[in-house]
Each structure stands twice: as structure tokens, then as C-alpha cells.
Amino acid sequence: LCCQCGVPIPPNPANMCVGCLRAQVDITEGIPKQGTLHFCKQCERYLQPPGTWIQCTLESRELLALCLKKIKASLSKVRLIDAGFIWTEPHSKRLKLKLTVQKEVINGAVLQQVFVVEYIVQSQMCEDCHRIEAKDFWKAVVQVRQKTLHKKTFYYLEQLILKHRLHQNTLRIKEIHDGLDFYYSSKQQAQKMVDFLQCTVPSRSKSSQRLISHDIHSNVYNYKSTFSVEIVPICKDNVVCLSPKLAQSLGNMSQICVCIRVTSTIHLIDPSTLQIAEIDGNTYWRHPFNSLFHPKQLEEFIVMDISRVQEKKKGAGAGARSNKHTLAEAWVQKTSELNTDHQYFCCTHLGHILNPGDLVLGFDLANCNLNDEFANKMNPHTIPDVVLIKKSYDRTKRQRRRNWKLKELERDREGTDTDDERQYQDFLEDLEEDEAIRKNINIYRNADIPVESDTDDDGTPRISLAEMLEDLHISQDATGGEGASMMT
């Protein structure tokens, strides 16, 4: 019989029934039944004392471990058997933990008890988010500049940054008329960005730092660092004039070349021989050259006659030739001079896409003043009359059929104008025409525009569905981050 209430029981060391034993002894005494967790709304992280912020989703093992650490000292007197979450409304700011503990009581009897600990989630902004909200609290800035009128290289660079997620550590991104400023909370993050830029675009950089404060007792210095990155002022579709020394070192190619692509190097092609060359940033700064024309100076020509040219014999020391282009000789006429008989003869690298009657954009070198130190010293007979750049298509039709889109960086803009929109459309058209650049960029399918079949193709360059990604949207919970809805 139980020594307290007299109820018949199986024999045990305490000679008491479970009810009387629990009335006599509370093994959860000293374990707090309520606690507090600090949660940052901006970055959705929880505070792990003393000063670490960790990412935890609702009902995850990480969050369970964080809650148990809060009562770890008081749990040392009992044996923890089981722990788990009791479901609470995700927006209630409450977390309930169901714990099962055991403890040896009177005369060696082991008592097991289940109880609930409730945690109140309090909002507290972490230090990193404080700095981001302050806007001006930055330790390092990377100033990226390019002294050109066209921003094609910047649009390409923006997509590379998005693909490699290098914008996540920035406090702020500010756009100005000739570049971007990236603000960081530490010098190491800024240095990482500079290293990335030097690997992806031909550029040069220099750094400086300014002393903000100095603690003479602990000998601690507080600096603000500035990294200046200058991208080479050459964009895709620019006509350039190389120095004689550089042209000779690239395999005796012509001084007048066309830039067909800018990646980590400048890709040039000689339109009269199809000879190609790549120039990295270091070579460019040793032998700098400029673009002969602005993109706004492109003129529209109509192809009157064109004939493909068989392989020309390579000269002494000639470099590699492009396999993707076809050499051709063409007679062209300006669309503004159709009422005259004035035609121009030129060699072009676009023989694979041009046919008589096509419209093509190019630069007129015969009727212009070339203000370039290398071009002025050239023999006038070696300078071509016209350099053709790219085939012209109906822009409005291309925009209407474009069933894909790109993501953009969130940045502070000084103000956009119609010229920026035109340049962005040029960049999108370049992506459709150049497969090599597309491989480095994430292209997303635009579900708002219906997919057209490839059978009604009129020759306009298009991006296939196989190259597009589905734009994924993951809903985030206010107190749990990604995956919270799945856990609940």
C-alpha cells in the first residue's frame, strides 16, 4: 500500500504511488518555464549570446539547440530525455518547447516528467543591419568607372555580379553618370570585389585610405578605404585604331579593327582578313588606344552586292582567324543617299549573315575627320572607306517577341534618361546575337509573353528556351526565413 494514501501499488523504493510522489517532489524545480529570444527582422537571424547572430528556420534543429542553450545550466541537475516544438502561430512571437526529463528521487526511484517552456521572441536589430540602415556607416568603397558614352560593359558586369551573388555583402550601391559605387562594412569584402572585377573585365585599380580616428591607449586605427577600379574605355562594336607596335605584336594585323566582345579580355577582329586577337588589361594599359567613333555615329547602309571571299593567304607571322565569321567583299550605299549613285566598297567579316538588300549598320571613315594619333599617321590608302558593324533588324518587332528578361541590382539612381533605355535595349540585342556572352549570364523566362514557335523565324537572332531559367519565387516567413511554411 502507498504510505501516503493507502492505494495498492506495485512495490517501489519510495513506497509511494506516482501521484503522491509528484506531490512530494517536483523535479523541474529551478528550470525556468519562460525565456526570451532576440530576433532581427531585417536579416532574419537570432541572437546567440554573447554577440553571434545565426540563421535559423522555424522548428529547425538549430533553433532547438539555441533554445536549449538558454536553459542549459538549469538542466544540468536532471537528465534530458526528449525535446521538441509545440506548434504555434508563426506570427505570434511565441515559441513553445516540450521537454521530457528524468531525475532520481527518494531511495533511488527514477521520476519522469513532461513540461513546457515558452519563449517570447523580441525584435532587436543586429549590428550589421544597423550599419546598413545608417547608409553612411561604411568602412570601404569600391568605385568602378569607365570613361565611355555606352554602358554595355556595365550591363554585362551587373549580370556577372548577380550570377555570383557578390552584391549580398554591400551596404549600398550607388549609380552615378560614369560608373557604380559599392559600399562595404569591411575592407576585406571590398578587396574581394576588386579581385572579382579584375578577373572578369579588363581593368586596373588603385587604393587609398583616410584616417578617421586613432585610440592612443590601445593603438587602434580606424580607416576608411577607397578602391578605384577603371575599366578599359572600349565597348562591343567599337572601331579602334591600334598602335603600329601593338598591331605587329598581335600577328601583323591591320591597325583598324572592330571590337566584337569584351569579357575578361578585349576581343578584336580585323574585318579585312578575319584575323582575331585578345588583349588583356595589362597589355591595354601598356599600349592604350581609343575608339574612333561613338555609337550614336552609326549610319545605316543597304547592301547592294556582296560576294564571299575564299581564304586569303596568311602573311608572315599572322595569328589565328575566326571560324564563326565569313570574309566577304561588298558594295554598300547609305540609306540617306539612295537618290544618288554614290556607293562604297568594303571588306567585311559579316559575310555569313549579309545578303543583297539587307540593312546593315556601320561607320563611314571616308567622309569623317579622324581625331586619333595613330589613325592620322596611317597611309590613307590603307584606311577602309566603310567598316560594317552589325546587321540591322526591326527593333520594335524584336522587343515584342522577346520572351525573356534579366534581373537588376537594387541601387540608388541619380536619374535615368531615354538614352540609358536605348543602351539597355542594345545590350539585350547583343545577348541575342552573341552566344559566348550568354553563357556567363542568367537569363530568365518571361511568363507574360507567350512562346512563339521557331518555325516562323525570319532570321532575327533569338534565345532558345533551353537557355532560359524559370524565375523562382520563394515566400519568406516573418520569423523563420525560407522554408518556414514547409516546417509548419
Side-chain angles (χ1 to χ4, degrees):
L1 300 178
C2 174
C3 65
Q4 290 285 333
C5 62
V7 175
I9 58 168
N12 63 49
N15 289 331
M16 275 193 270
C17 64
V18 175
C20 293
L21 196 56
R22 281 189 176 158
Q24 293 275 327
V25 182
D26 181 16
I27 65 173
T28 64
E29 189 178 2
I31 302 175
K33 305 300 188 293
Q34 275 198 330
T36 305
L37 286 175
H38 294 285
F39 175 73
C40 178
K41 287 183 179 179
Q42 267 75 8
C43 60
E44 298 186 348
R45 294 186 298 175
Y46 290 90
L47 174 64
Q48 180 176 308
T52 310
W53 292 84
I54 57 173
Q55 192 94 29
C56 301
T57 57
L58 282 179
E59 299 191 15
S60 64
R61 294 176 62 180
E62 294 83 4
L63 188 56
L64 183 63
L66 181 63
C67 294
L68 290 175
K69 280 180 183 175
K70 289 273 186 181
I71 55 173
K72 184 179 180 181
S74 52
L75 284 174
S76 60
K77 298 176 183 177
V78 296
R79 184 184 176 196
L80 183 64
I81 300 299
D82 188 31
F85 284 104
I86 299 175
W87 188 87
T88 54
E89 177 64 37
H91 297 276
S92 65
K93 300 287 185 184
R94 297 289 186 276
L95 292 175
K96 290 185 178 180
L97 221 60
K98 182 182 177 183
L99 303 179
T100 306
V101 293
Q102 284 183 352
K103 188 179 181 181
E104 191 175 306
V105 289
I106 305 166
N107 296 332
V110 177
L111 188 63
Q112 180 171 310
Q113 196 168 335
V114 179
F115 64 104
V116 175
V117 180
E118 183 178 1
Y119 289 92
I120 299 170
V121 181
Q122 289 188 348
S123 297
Q124 178 181 328
M125 191 180 286
C126 65
E127 288 184 8
D128 294 338
C129 294
H130 259 299
R131 291 172 181 170
I132 294 172
E133 287 298 312
K135 295 284 187 185
D136 295 324
F137 190 89
W138 50 272
K139 287 286 182 70
V141 59
V142 179
Q143 299 174 336
V144 188
R145 300 288 182 269
Q146 187 184 28
K147 296 172 183 174
T148 56
L149 292 177
H150 208 289
K151 298 180 180 177
K152 281 183 182 179
T153 311
F154 269 109
Y155 291 132
Y156 172 68
L157 188 61
E158 176 185 14
Q159 297 304 318
L160 288 178
I161 291 171
L162 282 167
K163 180 171 183 175
H164 296 283
R165 305 170 75 85
L166 278 184
H167 62 292
Q168 290 186 323
N169 295 325
T170 54
L171 301 179
R172 179 188 179 200
I173 302 174
K174 184 181 179 183
E175 180 181 344
I176 58 174
H177 67 282
D178 60 347
L180 292 170
D181 289 348
F182 298 88
Y183 293 89
Y184 293 91
S185 58
S186 70
K187 185 179 178 180
Q188 290 77 15
Q189 292 172 343
Q191 185 65 56
K192 187 179 177 183
M193 182 66 168
V194 173
D195 295 340
F196 172 78
L197 291 173
Q198 290 182 331
C199 293
T200 50
V201 286
S203 59
R204 63 179 174 182
S205 66
K206 57 183 178 181
S207 61
S208 63
Q209 55 186 17
R210 181 162 55 98
L211 181 66
I212 304 299
S213 61
H214 173 213
D215 186 350
I216 58 173
H217 301 290
S218 60
N219 205 28
V220 173
Y221 292 85
N222 182 18
Y223 288 105
K224 277 193 174 182
S225 303
T226 301
F227 295 88
S228 176
V229 180
E230 185 182 356
I231 302 174
V232 295
I234 304 297
C235 289
K236 185 180 184 297
D237 297 337
N238 281 167
V239 176
V240 298
C241 184
L242 309 179
S243 65
K245 188 176 180 181
L246 180 60
Q248 186 179 7
S249 67
L250 295 175
N252 289 327
M253 66 190 301
S254 171
Q255 288 182 247
I256 303 290
C257 294
V258 178
C259 176
I260 52 173
R261 192 180 304 118
V262 177
T263 53
S264 56
T265 56
I266 304 170
H267 298 253
L268 298 178
I269 188 168
D270 181 357
S272 59
T273 62
L274 293 190
Q275 193 171 326
I276 54 175
E278 293 184 17
I279 299 175
D280 59 6
N282 294 331
T283 307
Y284 176 85
W285 297 118
R286 283 200 306 271
H287 306 282
F289 52 86
N290 297 314
S291 173
L292 297 180
F293 297 95
H294 303 309
K296 292 180 181 178
Q297 293 174 287
L298 274 171
E299 295 187 69
E300 194 174 56
F301 294 86
I302 186 167
V303 180
M304 308 305 289
D305 188 26
I306 188 166
S307 59
R308 275 67 176 172
V309 178
Q310 298 299 321
E311 281 289 324
K312 282 189 176 181
K313 188 178 179 181
K314 281 190 177 184
R321 289 183 178 176
S322 173
N323 297 323
K324 296 183 179 180
H325 298 85
T326 303
L327 188 63
E329 293 178 343
W331 285 94
V332 295
Q333 188 174 12
K334 288 184 184 178
T335 52
S336 58
E337 298 178 351
L338 286 179
N339 55 348
T340 65
D341 295 332
H342 195 185
Q343 294 186 7
Y344 302 90
F345 176 79
C346 63
C347 288
T348 179
H349 58 291
L350 303 176
H352 57 297
I353 55 173
L354 291 183
N355 294 300
D358 285 346
L359 294 177
V360 61
L361 298 175
F363 293 110
D364 180 8
L365 278 76
N367 303 312
C368 69
N369 288 325
L370 291 177
N371 188 17
D372 185 85
E373 59 171 324
F374 302 128
N376 293 337
K377 295 176 183 177
M378 287 180 65
N379 184 349
H381 298 294
T382 60
I383 299 178
D385 291 341
V386 171
V387 176
L388 302 182
I389 301 297
K390 59 182 179 179
K391 189 175 178 179
S392 178
Y393 300 96
D394 186 359
R395 169 166 282 189
T396 55
K397 189 174 181 181
R398 289 181 78 167
Q399 284 182 251
R400 192 170 61 247
R401 294 172 61 175
R402 188 170 291 139
N403 58 343
W404 54 274
K405 59 185 178 181
L406 301 175
K407 290 189 175 180
E408 292 186 19
L409 285 175
E410 292 183 11
R411 56 187 184 267
D412 302 336
R413 299 175 185 266
E414 287 188 344
T416 56
D417 51 16
T418 53
D419 192 46
D420 284 352
E421 180 60 32
R422 184 185 65 81
Q423 292 182 19
Y424 189 65
Q425 292 299 326
D426 284 347
F427 172 68
L428 297 182
E429 290 174 6
D430 289 343
L431 285 184
E432 290 175 336
E433 295 167 12
D434 195 341
E435 186 181 352
I437 295 182
R438 286 205 299 269
K439 291 177 181 176
N440 303 328
I441 290 177
N442 286 343
I443 295 171
Y444 297 91
R445 193 170 78 82
N446 190 353
D448 300 334
I449 298 176
V451 179
E452 294 185 15
S453 63
D454 294 333
T455 54
D456 56 350
D457 198 5
D458 55 356
T460 307
R462 295 171 67 185
I463 298 179
S464 63
L465 280 173
E467 296 178 75
M468 300 181 198
L469 301 171
E470 287 289 342
D471 197 3
L472 185 64
H473 295 284
I474 301 175
S475 59
Q476 294 196 351
D477 194 87
T479 57
E482 296 178 8
S485 56
M486 296 164 62
M487 298 300 294
T488 55

